[in-house]
Amino acid sequence: MATPTSTPTTLDEWKAAYGLAGERDVPFTTLSAEPVKPLYTAQDRAGKDDEAGLGLPGQYPFTRGVYPSMYRTRLWTMRQFAGFGTAEETNERFRYLLDHGQTGLSTAFDMPSLMGHDSDSPLSLGEVGREGVAVDTVDDMQTLFQGINLGDVSVSMTINAPAAIMLAYYVVAAERQAGGAITPDKLNGTIQADILKEYIAQKEWCFPIDPAMRLLGDMIEYSTQNMPRWNSVSVSGYHIREAGATAAQELAFTLKDGLTYVEQAIDRGLDVDDFAPRLSFFFNAQIDFFEEIAKYRAARRIWARELRETYGAKNPKSWLMRFHTQTAGVSLTAQQPLNNITRTAIEALAGVLGGTQSLHTNSYDEALALPTEDAVRIALRTQQIIAHETGVTNTIDPLGGSYFVESLTDRMEEMAYEYFAKIDELGGMVEAVKRNYPQREIADASFDLQVEIEAQKRIVVGVNRYTEGDDGDTPILKVDPALERKQVDRLQGVRARRDSGAVEAALIRLKELAAQDDANLMPPIIEAARVHATEGEMIEALQDVFGKYTEAPVF
Protein backbone atom coordinates (compact mmCIF):
# COMPACT_ATOMS: atom_id res chain seq x y z
CA MET A 1 0.00 0.00 0.00
CA ALA A 2 1.36 3.39 -0.98
CA THR A 3 2.06 6.00 1.68
CA PRO A 4 0.48 9.37 0.83
CA THR A 5 2.73 12.42 0.80
CA SER A 6 0.04 14.45 2.57
CA THR A 7 -2.91 13.63 4.78
CA PRO A 8 -6.08 13.01 2.73
CA THR A 9 -8.98 15.21 3.82
CA THR A 10 -11.72 14.07 1.44
CA LEU A 11 -12.97 10.71 0.21
CA ASP A 12 -11.63 11.37 -3.29
CA GLU A 13 -8.19 12.23 -1.89
CA TRP A 14 -8.29 9.08 0.24
CA LYS A 15 -9.08 6.93 -2.80
CA ALA A 16 -6.37 8.60 -4.84
CA ALA A 17 -3.81 8.25 -2.06
CA TYR A 18 -4.43 4.61 -1.16
CA GLY A 19 -6.31 3.14 -4.08
CA LEU A 20 -8.05 -0.21 -3.84
CA ALA A 21 -5.30 -2.46 -5.16
CA GLY A 22 -4.62 -5.63 -3.21
CA GLU A 23 -8.12 -6.09 -1.80
CA ARG A 24 -9.22 -9.63 -1.04
CA ASP A 25 -11.01 -11.41 -3.86
CA VAL A 26 -14.36 -11.69 -2.11
CA PRO A 27 -17.75 -10.10 -2.80
CA PHE A 28 -17.88 -6.90 -0.78
CA THR A 29 -21.64 -7.03 -0.50
CA THR A 30 -24.22 -7.59 2.18
CA LEU A 31 -25.82 -10.99 2.57
CA SER A 32 -28.56 -9.60 0.30
CA ALA A 33 -25.99 -8.81 -2.42
CA GLU A 34 -26.09 -5.04 -1.90
CA PRO A 35 -22.67 -3.48 -2.68
CA VAL A 36 -20.70 -2.19 0.31
CA LYS A 37 -18.24 0.64 -0.31
CA PRO A 38 -14.79 0.57 1.30
CA LEU A 39 -15.48 3.73 3.29
CA TYR A 40 -18.49 5.85 4.22
CA THR A 41 -18.18 9.55 4.98
CA ALA A 42 -20.34 12.63 5.37
CA GLN A 43 -20.59 12.74 1.57
CA ASP A 44 -22.84 9.68 1.72
CA ARG A 45 -25.27 11.65 3.87
CA ALA A 46 -25.17 14.82 1.81
CA GLY A 47 -28.60 16.38 1.46
CA LYS A 48 -30.16 14.26 4.22
CA ASP A 49 -32.19 16.02 6.88
CA ASP A 50 -31.17 14.12 9.98
CA GLU A 51 -33.54 16.06 12.21
CA ALA A 52 -36.49 14.87 10.10
CA GLY A 53 -35.13 11.45 9.22
CA LEU A 54 -33.63 10.44 12.55
CA GLY A 55 -35.13 12.46 15.34
CA LEU A 56 -34.61 11.33 18.92
CA PRO A 57 -35.56 8.03 20.54
CA GLY A 58 -39.25 7.94 21.31
CA GLN A 59 -39.99 10.72 18.82
CA TYR A 60 -41.30 10.62 15.26
CA PRO A 61 -40.14 8.99 12.97
CA PHE A 62 -38.68 6.63 15.62
CA THR A 63 -35.63 5.67 13.56
CA ARG A 64 -33.63 5.63 16.80
CA GLY A 65 -36.13 3.64 18.84
CA VAL A 66 -39.78 3.63 19.84
CA TYR A 67 -39.25 4.58 23.51
CA PRO A 68 -37.33 7.58 24.89
CA SER A 69 -35.18 5.60 27.31
CA MET A 70 -35.24 2.17 25.60
CA TYR A 71 -33.29 -0.42 27.62
CA ARG A 72 -32.19 2.00 30.35
CA THR A 73 -35.75 1.72 31.69
CA ARG A 74 -36.72 -1.80 30.69
CA LEU A 75 -34.93 -4.62 28.91
CA TRP A 76 -36.53 -6.40 25.99
CA THR A 77 -38.81 -9.36 26.75
CA MET A 78 -36.73 -12.53 26.67
CA ARG A 79 -38.72 -15.31 25.03
CA GLN A 80 -37.77 -18.82 24.00
CA PHE A 81 -39.95 -20.56 21.43
CA ALA A 82 -41.11 -23.79 23.04
CA GLY A 83 -43.45 -26.65 22.31
CA PHE A 84 -43.26 -30.40 21.76
CA GLY A 85 -45.25 -33.53 22.45
CA THR A 86 -48.46 -33.05 24.39
CA ALA A 87 -49.57 -30.10 26.49
CA GLU A 88 -48.14 -31.73 29.65
CA GLU A 89 -44.58 -31.89 28.26
CA THR A 90 -44.69 -28.33 26.97
CA ASN A 91 -46.12 -27.07 30.26
CA GLU A 92 -43.05 -28.55 31.98
CA ARG A 93 -40.75 -26.73 29.50
CA PHE A 94 -42.63 -23.46 30.07
CA ARG A 95 -42.15 -23.77 33.81
CA TYR A 96 -38.46 -24.58 33.30
CA LEU A 97 -37.97 -21.44 31.21
CA LEU A 98 -39.80 -19.20 33.66
CA ASP A 99 -37.71 -20.63 36.50
CA HIS A 100 -34.52 -19.75 34.56
CA GLY A 101 -35.37 -16.10 34.04
CA GLN A 102 -37.49 -16.00 30.91
CA THR A 103 -39.99 -13.14 31.00
CA GLY A 104 -42.49 -14.20 28.33
CA LEU A 105 -43.75 -17.43 26.80
CA SER A 106 -43.69 -18.20 23.09
CA THR A 107 -45.72 -21.19 21.93
CA ALA A 108 -44.76 -23.49 19.06
CA PHE A 109 -47.55 -25.67 17.69
CA ASP A 110 -47.07 -28.95 15.85
CA MET A 111 -47.68 -29.28 12.12
CA PRO A 112 -51.19 -30.79 12.38
CA SER A 113 -52.28 -27.90 14.62
CA LEU A 114 -50.76 -25.37 12.22
CA MET A 115 -52.60 -26.94 9.29
CA GLY A 116 -55.95 -27.28 11.07
CA HIS A 117 -55.93 -31.07 11.47
CA ASP A 118 -56.91 -33.00 14.59
CA SER A 119 -54.29 -35.36 15.99
CA ASP A 120 -56.27 -38.44 14.96
CA SER A 121 -56.64 -37.32 11.34
CA PRO A 122 -54.90 -39.63 8.83
CA LEU A 123 -53.03 -36.50 7.63
CA SER A 124 -51.50 -36.09 11.10
CA LEU A 125 -49.93 -39.55 11.33
CA GLY A 126 -46.29 -39.34 12.41
CA GLU A 127 -46.37 -35.56 12.92
CA VAL A 128 -48.20 -35.16 16.22
CA GLY A 129 -46.04 -33.30 18.74
CA ARG A 130 -42.96 -33.53 16.53
CA GLU A 131 -42.10 -29.88 15.95
CA GLY A 132 -44.38 -28.23 18.47
CA VAL A 133 -47.17 -28.94 20.90
CA ALA A 134 -50.38 -30.65 19.83
CA VAL A 135 -53.50 -28.64 20.68
CA ASP A 136 -56.81 -30.12 19.57
CA THR A 137 -59.32 -28.71 22.06
CA VAL A 138 -59.67 -26.13 24.80
CA ASP A 139 -58.75 -28.93 27.23
CA ASP A 140 -55.25 -29.00 25.74
CA MET A 141 -54.95 -25.23 26.07
CA GLN A 142 -55.94 -25.43 29.74
CA THR A 143 -53.32 -28.12 30.38
CA LEU A 144 -50.69 -26.17 28.43
CA PHE A 145 -50.91 -23.26 30.87
CA GLN A 146 -51.79 -25.15 34.03
CA GLY A 147 -50.23 -23.45 37.04
CA ILE A 148 -49.29 -20.37 34.97
CA ASN A 149 -51.48 -17.34 35.68
CA LEU A 150 -52.55 -16.00 32.28
CA GLY A 151 -53.38 -12.65 33.81
CA ASP A 152 -49.73 -12.17 34.80
CA VAL A 153 -47.67 -13.55 31.91
CA SER A 154 -47.27 -12.35 28.32
CA VAL A 155 -47.89 -15.21 25.88
CA SER A 156 -47.06 -15.34 22.19
CA MET A 157 -48.62 -17.96 19.93
CA THR A 158 -47.13 -18.67 16.52
CA ILE A 159 -50.05 -19.89 14.47
CA ASN A 160 -51.74 -18.36 11.45
CA ALA A 161 -54.46 -20.06 9.39
CA PRO A 162 -56.28 -21.51 12.48
CA ALA A 163 -55.28 -18.53 14.66
CA ALA A 164 -58.88 -17.57 15.44
CA ILE A 165 -59.52 -21.01 16.89
CA MET A 166 -56.38 -20.97 19.05
CA LEU A 167 -57.24 -17.48 20.28
CA ALA A 168 -60.69 -18.75 21.22
CA TYR A 169 -59.18 -21.67 23.13
CA TYR A 170 -56.86 -19.26 24.94
CA VAL A 171 -59.72 -16.91 25.89
CA VAL A 172 -61.77 -19.80 27.27
CA ALA A 173 -58.78 -21.36 29.07
CA ALA A 174 -58.12 -18.01 30.77
CA GLU A 175 -61.78 -17.69 31.77
CA ARG A 176 -61.50 -21.02 33.56
CA GLN A 177 -58.58 -19.86 35.70
CA ALA A 178 -58.89 -17.95 38.98
CA GLY A 179 -62.63 -18.51 39.27
CA GLY A 180 -63.42 -16.67 36.05
CA ALA A 181 -61.53 -13.52 37.01
CA ILE A 182 -59.22 -13.53 33.97
CA THR A 183 -61.47 -12.00 31.32
CA PRO A 184 -60.30 -11.23 27.75
CA ASP A 185 -59.53 -7.59 28.59
CA LYS A 186 -56.88 -8.77 31.08
CA LEU A 187 -54.92 -10.94 28.62
CA ASN A 188 -51.53 -9.71 27.46
CA GLY A 189 -49.73 -11.21 24.49
CA THR A 190 -49.67 -11.77 20.76
CA ILE A 191 -51.05 -14.18 18.23
CA GLN A 192 -49.22 -14.21 14.92
CA ALA A 193 -52.24 -14.58 12.59
CA ASP A 194 -50.32 -13.11 9.62
CA ILE A 195 -52.11 -14.98 6.86
CA LEU A 196 -50.60 -13.28 3.79
CA LYS A 197 -47.09 -14.42 4.64
CA GLU A 198 -48.38 -17.99 4.71
CA TYR A 199 -49.22 -17.80 1.03
CA ILE A 200 -45.96 -15.96 0.39
CA ALA A 201 -43.54 -18.10 2.37
CA GLN A 202 -44.52 -20.59 5.05
CA LYS A 203 -47.27 -22.43 3.12
CA GLU A 204 -49.52 -23.36 6.03
CA TRP A 205 -53.10 -22.51 5.06
CA CYS A 206 -56.65 -23.78 5.51
CA PHE A 207 -58.75 -21.57 3.23
CA PRO A 208 -58.55 -19.53 0.02
CA ILE A 209 -56.97 -16.08 0.42
CA ASP A 210 -60.10 -13.93 0.52
CA PRO A 211 -61.98 -15.78 3.32
CA ALA A 212 -58.70 -16.14 5.20
CA MET A 213 -58.33 -12.36 5.06
CA ARG A 214 -61.90 -12.01 6.33
CA LEU A 215 -61.13 -14.25 9.30
CA LEU A 216 -58.08 -12.16 10.16
CA GLY A 217 -60.21 -9.03 9.98
CA ASP A 218 -62.69 -10.63 12.37
CA MET A 219 -59.87 -11.26 14.85
CA ILE A 220 -58.57 -7.70 14.63
CA GLU A 221 -62.08 -6.33 15.11
CA TYR A 222 -62.84 -8.63 18.05
CA SER A 223 -59.50 -7.92 19.76
CA THR A 224 -59.89 -4.18 19.28
CA GLN A 225 -63.28 -4.25 20.97
CA ASN A 226 -62.61 -6.84 23.70
CA MET A 227 -58.85 -7.33 24.27
CA PRO A 228 -57.15 -3.93 24.63
CA ARG A 229 -53.85 -5.44 25.85
CA TRP A 230 -53.66 -8.06 23.11
CA ASN A 231 -51.68 -7.80 19.87
CA SER A 232 -54.21 -9.10 17.35
CA VAL A 233 -51.68 -9.79 14.62
CA SER A 234 -47.90 -10.07 14.54
CA VAL A 235 -46.94 -9.19 11.00
CA SER A 236 -44.17 -11.63 10.29
CA GLY A 237 -41.16 -11.03 8.11
CA TYR A 238 -39.36 -13.87 9.86
CA HIS A 239 -40.73 -16.65 7.68
CA ILE A 240 -40.37 -14.56 4.54
CA ARG A 241 -36.66 -14.27 5.30
CA GLU A 242 -36.37 -17.94 6.20
CA ALA A 243 -37.80 -18.77 2.76
CA GLY A 244 -34.80 -17.04 1.17
CA ALA A 245 -35.80 -13.37 0.90
CA THR A 246 -33.24 -10.61 1.02
CA ALA A 247 -33.35 -8.08 3.85
CA ALA A 248 -35.05 -5.55 1.57
CA GLN A 249 -37.65 -8.09 0.47
CA GLU A 250 -38.34 -9.06 4.07
CA LEU A 251 -38.76 -5.38 4.93
CA ALA A 252 -40.95 -4.50 1.95
CA PHE A 253 -43.23 -7.53 1.88
CA THR A 254 -43.73 -7.50 5.65
CA LEU A 255 -44.61 -3.82 5.78
CA LYS A 256 -46.92 -4.12 2.78
CA ASP A 257 -48.70 -7.04 4.46
CA GLY A 258 -49.14 -4.90 7.57
CA LEU A 259 -50.41 -1.91 5.63
CA THR A 260 -52.88 -4.18 3.84
CA TYR A 261 -54.29 -5.27 7.21
CA VAL A 262 -54.58 -1.61 8.21
CA GLU A 263 -56.56 -0.87 5.06
CA GLN A 264 -58.84 -3.84 5.66
CA ALA A 265 -59.61 -2.76 9.22
CA ILE A 266 -60.33 0.81 8.11
CA ASP A 267 -62.63 -0.51 5.39
CA ARG A 268 -64.56 -2.36 8.14
CA GLY A 269 -65.23 0.97 9.81
CA LEU A 270 -62.60 0.77 12.57
CA ASP A 271 -60.76 3.94 13.51
CA VAL A 272 -57.06 3.49 12.81
CA ASP A 273 -56.14 4.78 16.26
CA ASP A 274 -58.35 2.14 17.89
CA PHE A 275 -56.43 -0.82 16.49
CA ALA A 276 -53.03 0.32 15.17
CA PRO A 277 -51.38 0.59 18.63
CA ARG A 278 -51.93 -3.16 19.07
CA LEU A 279 -50.35 -4.26 15.80
CA SER A 280 -46.89 -5.75 16.23
CA PHE A 281 -44.18 -7.13 13.99
CA PHE A 282 -41.84 -10.11 13.92
CA PHE A 283 -38.50 -9.84 12.13
CA ASN A 284 -35.60 -12.14 11.38
CA ALA A 285 -32.09 -11.42 12.65
CA GLN A 286 -29.76 -12.78 10.00
CA ILE A 287 -25.99 -12.98 10.21
CA ASP A 288 -25.14 -9.77 8.30
CA PHE A 289 -24.83 -7.55 11.35
CA PHE A 290 -25.11 -4.03 9.95
CA GLU A 291 -27.68 -4.88 7.29
CA GLU A 292 -30.04 -6.21 9.95
CA ILE A 293 -29.66 -3.14 12.17
CA ALA A 294 -30.36 -0.88 9.18
CA LYS A 295 -33.43 -2.95 8.31
CA TYR A 296 -34.99 -2.45 11.73
CA ARG A 297 -34.29 1.28 11.72
CA ALA A 298 -35.79 1.71 8.25
CA ALA A 299 -38.83 -0.35 9.24
CA ARG A 300 -39.69 1.97 12.13
CA ARG A 301 -39.33 5.07 9.98
CA ILE A 302 -41.46 3.75 7.11
CA TRP A 303 -44.22 2.49 9.39
CA ALA A 304 -44.42 5.77 11.30
CA ARG A 305 -44.59 7.80 8.10
CA GLU A 306 -47.22 5.61 6.45
CA LEU A 307 -49.49 5.43 9.50
CA ARG A 308 -49.34 9.16 10.05
CA GLU A 309 -49.26 10.51 6.51
CA THR A 310 -51.13 7.89 4.47
CA TYR A 311 -53.65 6.50 6.96
CA GLY A 312 -54.17 9.59 9.09
CA ALA A 313 -53.36 8.14 12.49
CA LYS A 314 -53.39 10.88 15.13
CA ASN A 315 -52.29 8.90 18.18
CA PRO A 316 -48.47 8.71 18.40
CA LYS A 317 -48.82 5.14 19.70
CA SER A 318 -50.26 4.21 16.30
CA TRP A 319 -47.01 5.30 14.67
CA LEU A 320 -44.85 3.02 16.80
CA MET A 321 -43.53 -0.16 15.22
CA ARG A 322 -42.99 -2.56 18.09
CA PHE A 323 -41.37 -5.80 17.03
CA HIS A 324 -40.18 -9.19 18.20
CA THR A 325 -36.95 -10.59 16.78
CA GLN A 326 -35.82 -14.17 16.35
CA THR A 327 -32.35 -15.17 15.29
CA ALA A 328 -32.17 -16.85 11.89
CA GLY A 329 -33.02 -20.53 11.86
CA VAL A 330 -31.80 -20.79 8.29
CA SER A 331 -28.33 -19.62 9.36
CA LEU A 332 -27.93 -22.61 11.70
CA THR A 333 -25.81 -25.43 10.35
CA ALA A 334 -25.99 -29.13 11.08
CA GLN A 335 -22.23 -29.24 10.53
CA GLN A 336 -20.21 -28.14 13.57
CA PRO A 337 -23.38 -27.10 15.43
CA LEU A 338 -21.52 -25.43 18.31
CA ASN A 339 -20.61 -22.70 15.82
CA ASN A 340 -24.29 -21.79 15.94
CA ILE A 341 -23.84 -20.37 19.44
CA THR A 342 -21.60 -17.70 17.94
CA ARG A 343 -23.95 -17.04 15.04
CA THR A 344 -26.91 -16.67 17.37
CA ALA A 345 -25.04 -14.29 19.68
CA ILE A 346 -24.12 -11.98 16.77
CA GLU A 347 -27.65 -12.05 15.39
CA ALA A 348 -29.15 -11.37 18.82
CA LEU A 349 -26.79 -8.43 19.28
CA ALA A 350 -28.00 -7.01 15.97
CA GLY A 351 -31.58 -7.28 17.20
CA VAL A 352 -30.73 -5.43 20.40
CA LEU A 353 -28.73 -2.70 18.67
CA GLY A 354 -31.61 -2.45 16.19
CA GLY A 355 -34.01 -1.69 19.05
CA THR A 356 -36.16 -4.81 19.39
CA GLN A 357 -38.85 -5.07 22.09
CA SER A 358 -38.74 -8.86 22.36
CA LEU A 359 -36.14 -11.45 21.43
CA HIS A 360 -35.88 -15.19 20.90
CA THR A 361 -32.45 -16.77 20.51
CA ASN A 362 -32.28 -20.07 18.62
CA SER A 363 -30.60 -23.04 20.22
CA TYR A 364 -27.43 -24.40 18.65
CA ASP A 365 -28.90 -27.85 17.98
CA GLU A 366 -32.04 -26.75 16.13
CA ALA A 367 -30.63 -27.66 12.72
CA LEU A 368 -30.74 -31.25 13.96
CA ALA A 369 -33.90 -31.51 16.08
CA LEU A 370 -36.03 -29.72 18.63
CA PRO A 371 -33.68 -28.17 21.19
CA THR A 372 -32.53 -29.91 24.34
CA GLU A 373 -32.90 -28.19 27.71
CA ASP A 374 -29.14 -27.53 27.87
CA ALA A 375 -29.19 -25.88 24.43
CA VAL A 376 -32.22 -23.77 25.36
CA ARG A 377 -30.49 -22.60 28.54
CA ILE A 378 -27.39 -21.52 26.58
CA ALA A 379 -29.62 -19.62 24.15
CA LEU A 380 -31.35 -17.82 27.01
CA ARG A 381 -28.02 -17.11 28.74
CA THR A 382 -26.85 -15.51 25.47
CA GLN A 383 -29.56 -12.88 25.83
CA GLN A 384 -28.77 -12.38 29.49
CA ILE A 385 -25.06 -11.87 28.77
CA ILE A 386 -25.89 -9.28 26.11
CA ALA A 387 -28.23 -7.55 28.55
CA HIS A 388 -26.05 -7.54 31.64
CA GLU A 389 -22.40 -7.83 30.60
CA THR A 390 -21.73 -6.15 27.25
CA GLY A 391 -22.73 -2.58 28.07
CA VAL A 392 -24.80 -2.21 24.88
CA THR A 393 -27.90 -1.37 26.91
CA ASN A 394 -26.29 1.61 28.60
CA THR A 395 -26.92 4.08 25.78
CA ILE A 396 -29.70 4.36 23.23
CA ASP A 397 -29.08 3.59 19.55
CA PRO A 398 -25.27 3.65 19.90
CA LEU A 399 -24.81 3.24 16.13
CA GLY A 400 -27.02 6.21 15.29
CA GLY A 401 -25.12 8.72 13.18
CA SER A 402 -22.73 6.14 11.78
CA TYR A 403 -22.14 7.07 8.14
CA PHE A 404 -22.38 3.42 7.12
CA VAL A 405 -25.44 2.51 9.20
CA GLU A 406 -27.36 5.64 8.22
CA SER A 407 -26.53 5.16 4.53
CA LEU A 408 -27.59 1.52 4.69
CA THR A 409 -30.80 2.54 6.49
CA ASP A 410 -31.56 5.04 3.72
CA ARG A 411 -30.92 2.40 1.06
CA MET A 412 -33.19 -0.10 2.81
CA GLU A 413 -35.94 2.48 2.83
CA GLU A 414 -35.47 3.25 -0.86
CA MET A 415 -35.65 -0.41 -1.85
CA ALA A 416 -38.78 -0.95 0.25
CA TYR A 417 -40.58 1.87 -1.55
CA GLU A 418 -39.46 0.49 -4.90
CA TYR A 419 -41.17 -2.78 -4.01
CA PHE A 420 -44.25 -0.90 -2.76
CA ALA A 421 -44.57 0.73 -6.17
CA LYS A 422 -44.35 -2.62 -7.99
CA ILE A 423 -46.96 -4.16 -5.69
CA ASP A 424 -49.32 -1.21 -6.15
CA GLU A 425 -48.99 -1.59 -9.92
CA LEU A 426 -50.24 -5.17 -9.55
CA GLY A 427 -53.31 -4.01 -7.64
CA GLY A 428 -52.11 -4.32 -4.05
CA MET A 429 -50.63 -7.03 -1.88
CA VAL A 430 -53.52 -9.51 -2.02
CA GLU A 431 -53.53 -9.42 -5.81
CA ALA A 432 -49.71 -9.58 -5.91
CA VAL A 433 -49.79 -12.72 -3.76
CA LYS A 434 -52.45 -14.29 -5.97
CA ARG A 435 -50.18 -13.60 -8.95
CA ASN A 436 -47.15 -15.09 -7.13
CA TYR A 437 -45.10 -11.90 -7.37
CA PRO A 438 -43.45 -11.95 -3.91
CA GLN A 439 -43.11 -15.74 -4.08
CA ARG A 440 -41.15 -15.48 -7.31
CA GLU A 441 -38.92 -12.67 -6.03
CA ILE A 442 -38.03 -14.73 -2.96
CA ALA A 443 -37.34 -17.88 -4.98
CA ASP A 444 -34.94 -15.97 -7.25
CA ALA A 445 -33.09 -14.42 -4.29
CA SER A 446 -32.79 -17.77 -2.55
CA PHE A 447 -31.39 -19.39 -5.67
CA ASP A 448 -28.82 -16.63 -6.17
CA LEU A 449 -27.54 -16.95 -2.61
CA GLN A 450 -27.25 -20.73 -2.86
CA VAL A 451 -25.25 -20.41 -6.08
CA GLU A 452 -22.81 -18.09 -4.26
CA ILE A 453 -22.43 -20.55 -1.40
CA GLU A 454 -21.87 -23.55 -3.66
CA ALA A 455 -19.30 -21.60 -5.68
CA GLN A 456 -17.59 -20.62 -2.38
CA LYS A 457 -18.00 -16.96 -3.22
CA ARG A 458 -19.77 -16.68 0.12
CA ILE A 459 -18.18 -18.63 2.97
CA VAL A 460 -20.24 -20.54 5.51
CA VAL A 461 -17.85 -21.69 8.19
CA GLY A 462 -17.91 -25.45 8.71
CA VAL A 463 -19.97 -25.99 5.55
CA ASN A 464 -17.96 -24.94 2.53
CA ARG A 465 -14.72 -24.01 4.30
CA TYR A 466 -12.99 -24.83 7.61
CA THR A 467 -14.76 -28.18 7.70
CA GLU A 468 -12.19 -30.14 9.68
CA GLY A 469 -13.27 -31.44 13.06
CA ASP A 470 -16.90 -32.11 12.18
CA ASP A 471 -16.94 -35.64 13.50
CA GLY A 472 -18.62 -35.42 16.91
CA ASP A 473 -22.12 -36.46 17.86
CA THR A 474 -24.46 -33.81 19.25
CA PRO A 475 -27.03 -34.99 21.80
CA ILE A 476 -30.50 -34.23 20.46
CA LEU A 477 -34.00 -34.21 21.85
CA LYS A 478 -36.03 -37.21 20.71
CA VAL A 479 -39.80 -37.01 20.98
CA ASP A 480 -41.19 -40.29 22.26
CA PRO A 481 -43.46 -41.79 19.55
CA ALA A 482 -45.78 -42.91 22.35
CA LEU A 483 -46.77 -39.27 22.88
CA GLU A 484 -48.73 -39.35 19.62
CA ARG A 485 -50.84 -42.24 20.90
CA LYS A 486 -51.25 -40.40 24.20
CA GLN A 487 -52.54 -37.28 22.43
CA VAL A 488 -54.92 -39.25 20.21
CA ASP A 489 -56.33 -41.03 23.28
CA ARG A 490 -56.70 -37.70 25.05
CA LEU A 491 -58.58 -36.22 22.10
CA GLN A 492 -60.91 -39.18 21.78
CA GLY A 493 -61.58 -39.05 25.51
CA VAL A 494 -62.73 -35.42 25.18
CA ARG A 495 -65.04 -36.40 22.33
CA ALA A 496 -66.52 -39.23 24.40
CA ARG A 497 -67.44 -37.11 27.44
CA ARG A 498 -68.54 -33.84 25.83
CA ASP A 499 -72.12 -32.91 24.91
CA SER A 500 -72.19 -33.93 21.25
CA GLY A 501 -75.49 -32.16 20.68
CA ALA A 502 -74.05 -28.87 21.88
CA VAL A 503 -71.02 -29.35 19.62
CA GLU A 504 -73.20 -30.05 16.58
CA ALA A 505 -75.34 -27.00 17.27
CA ALA A 506 -72.24 -24.79 17.67
CA LEU A 507 -70.76 -26.00 14.38
CA ILE A 508 -74.05 -25.45 12.52
CA ARG A 509 -74.20 -21.92 13.92
CA LEU A 510 -70.60 -21.31 12.85
CA LYS A 511 -71.39 -22.35 9.28
CA GLU A 512 -74.52 -20.21 9.17
CA LEU A 513 -72.59 -17.11 10.21
CA ALA A 514 -69.66 -17.92 7.90
CA ALA A 515 -72.15 -17.72 5.01
CA GLN A 516 -73.02 -14.15 6.08
CA ASP A 517 -70.34 -11.77 4.83
CA ASP A 518 -70.99 -9.18 7.53
CA ALA A 519 -70.87 -11.53 10.54
CA ASN A 520 -67.86 -11.57 12.84
CA LEU A 521 -66.87 -15.21 13.38
CA MET A 522 -64.98 -14.84 16.65
CA PRO A 523 -68.06 -15.12 18.93
CA PRO A 524 -69.31 -18.39 17.37
CA ILE A 525 -65.78 -19.81 17.36
CA ILE A 526 -65.47 -19.00 21.08
CA GLU A 527 -68.81 -20.65 21.76
CA ALA A 528 -67.69 -23.76 19.86
CA ALA A 529 -64.50 -23.78 21.93
CA ARG A 530 -66.53 -23.66 25.16
CA VAL A 531 -68.40 -26.86 24.26
CA HIS A 532 -65.12 -28.63 23.37
CA ALA A 533 -65.37 -28.59 19.58
CA THR A 534 -62.03 -29.64 18.11
CA GLU A 535 -59.84 -27.55 15.88
CA GLY A 536 -60.34 -29.92 12.96
CA GLU A 537 -64.12 -29.86 13.34
CA MET A 538 -64.22 -26.07 13.23
CA ILE A 539 -61.85 -25.92 10.25
CA GLU A 540 -63.95 -28.45 8.32
CA ALA A 541 -67.13 -26.51 9.12
CA LEU A 542 -65.58 -23.34 7.72
CA GLN A 543 -64.19 -25.16 4.69
CA ASP A 544 -67.73 -26.30 3.87
CA VAL A 545 -68.47 -22.60 3.32
CA PHE A 546 -65.11 -21.13 2.28
CA GLY A 547 -63.62 -24.02 0.30
CA LYS A 548 -59.97 -25.06 0.26
CA TYR A 549 -56.83 -23.53 -1.26
CA THR A 550 -54.59 -24.96 -3.95
CA GLU A 551 -51.29 -23.20 -4.60
CA ALA A 552 -50.22 -22.30 -8.11
CA PRO A 553 -46.60 -23.46 -8.51
CA VAL A 554 -43.79 -20.93 -8.97
CA PHE A 555 -41.11 -21.71 -11.56
Side-chain angles (χ1 to χ4, degrees), residues 4 8-9 31 34 40 53 121 125 172 222 231 267 276 302 318 390 444 463 467 502 507 529 545:
T9 59
L31 184 64
E34 282 298 304
Y40 288 77
S121 165
L125 185 62
V172 177
Y222 175 85
N231 296 321
D267 289 344
I302 295 170
S318 298
T390 63
D444 290 345
V463 175
T467 57
L507 295 175
V545 180

Side-chain angles (χ1 to χ4, degrees), residues 309-356:
E309 305 299 331
T310 303
Y311 298 101
K314 303 289 193 300
N315 184 352
K317 291 183 178 180
S318 298
W319 310 335
L320 301 183
M321 169 179 275
R322 297 165 299 109
F323 65 94
H324 170 70
T325 305
Q326 181 175 338
T327 57
V330 74
S331 73
L332 303 178
T333 64
Q335 302 92 328
Q336 301 180 15
L338 289 177
N339 294 342
N340 295 329
I341 297 174
T342 303
R343 293 186 177 99
T344 294
I346 292 168
E347 293 163 358
L349 185 59
V352 170
L353 291 176
T356 192

Side-chain angles (χ1 to χ4, degrees), residues 206-282:
C206 297
F207 315 111
I209 296 175
D210 291 329
M213 284 288 292
R214 172 200 169 173
L215 198 54
L216 172 62
D218 289 347
M219 292 180 62
I220 293 175
E221 186 175 36
Y222 175 85
S223 299
T224 300
Q225 295 169 350
N226 298 280
M227 304 177 72
R229 303 176 64 204
W230 189 262
N231 296 321
S232 53
V233 58
S234 174
V235 191
S236 176
Y238 185 84
H239 305 95
I240 291 173
R241 192 66 178 279
E242 291 288 284
T246 66
Q249 289 169 347
E250 178 192 0
L251 175 65
F253 298 154
T254 305
L255 291 180
K256 199 63 172 173
D257 285 350
L259 296 173
T260 300
Y261 302 147
V262 169
E263 291 170 3
Q264 181 194 47
I266 291 173
D267 289 344
R268 283 174 168 251
L270 296 178
D271 187 294
V272 64
D273 285 320
D274 287 341
F275 67 86
R278 300 310 302 178
L279 300 178
S280 66
F281 286 78
F282 175 22

Side-chain angles (χ1 to χ4, degrees), residues 356-424:
T356 192
Q357 279 64 68
S358 173
L359 179 62
H360 164 90
T361 34
N362 288 331
S363 300
Y364 71 85
D365 53 359
E366 287 189 65
L368 301 168
L370 291 173
T372 62
E373 284 192 353
D374 285 346
V376 168
R377 186 172 60 252
I378 291 171
L380 181 57
R381 293 290 181 259
T382 299
Q383 293 199 47
Q384 292 162 340
I385 289 169
I386 291 172
H388 300 293
E389 296 187 28
T390 63
V392 298
T393 61
N394 291 342
T395 190
I396 304 160
D397 188 31
L399 295 178
S402 156
Y403 297 134
F404 178 42
V405 170
E406 300 299 354
S407 296
L408 201 51
T409 300
D410 293 340
R411 180 59 185 143
M412 282 285 173
E413 183 177 11
E414 292 167 3
M415 289 189 288
Y417 276 104
E418 289 169 5
Y419 270 115
F420 287 179
K422 294 175 185 176
I423 291 166
D424 289 341

Side-chain angles (χ1 to χ4, degrees), residues 87-97 144 373:
E88 286 92 346
E89 285 74 31
T90 300
N91 177 265
E92 290 178 11
R93 177 63 64 87
F94 280 168
R95 289 167 175 268
Y96 174 87
L97 290 168
L144 184 62
E373 284 192 353

